Amino acid sequence: MPWPPHIRRKSDRLTDTENIENKFYPLYDDILNECFPRDRFSICPRYATPLAQTGGIGAINFTITYVIEALDLDSVVLFIEIKPPTHLPVQYARKEADNQMRQRFLEISHLVRVPKLYGISAIGRRVCYYGYNKATGVIEPPGIHDSSVYVVDTAPIERWDSNIVEEEGRDRLLEVVQEIQNMIDAL
């Protein structure tokens, strides 16, 4: 089943040559509101991390675009970082996006009460799913420091293998949302 028409219309207005990430915020805002009912979840744009609160160097880069919190648990369950689609073909930009995701897990892990915290790196409509295991502290997919093998491209383009507005991408996101809801219900 496809996304509702208003989401498709927002997606259709965006181009793959767009270099301003906030042009994608309304699309992701609508997708998140479609997936996470307001009576169970809070969608928080611009959730400040400690460095942003203190105005540290690069504070503007230490802001999470969207954080989804479970109301009954007072716990972060998902966060999303959004970058413009022009970052996708650039190896350095993907590496920075990957590093930012890993840093976010470290910055907010103390707020997590569910067994697995999900993170999504969105580059335009393409998304890469991350998971943080609270018990082990392991982040998937593994990063450069998690391997004894030399890796040239630490954030290969293939990781962003899902287009969130296509049916397969929608279904994959809804599977993650269902897993999050199951974890909350089990606690």
Side-chain angles (χ1 to χ4, degrees), residues 148-178:
S148 61
V149 178
Y150 180 75
V151 178
V152 175
D153 189 352
T154 58
I157 198 168
E158 294 80 17
R159 283 193 186 166
W160 285 265
D161 63 351
S162 183
N163 182 325
I164 197 125
V165 295
E166 293 177 358
E167 191 166 348
E168 181 182 319
R170 177 186 175 278
D171 292 348
R172 189 166 175 195
L173 176 61
L174 292 178
E175 287 173 14
V176 169
V177 170
Q178 186 60 56

Side-chain angles (χ1 to χ4, degrees), residues 17-35:
T17 57
E18 181 59 63
N19 60 3
I20 301 172
E21 65 195 43
N22 66 7
K23 298 265 183 156
F24 283 80
Y25 292 175
L27 173 65
Y28 282 93
D29 186 63
D30 280 359
I31 288 171
L32 293 173
N33 278 292
E34 187 73 24
C35 294

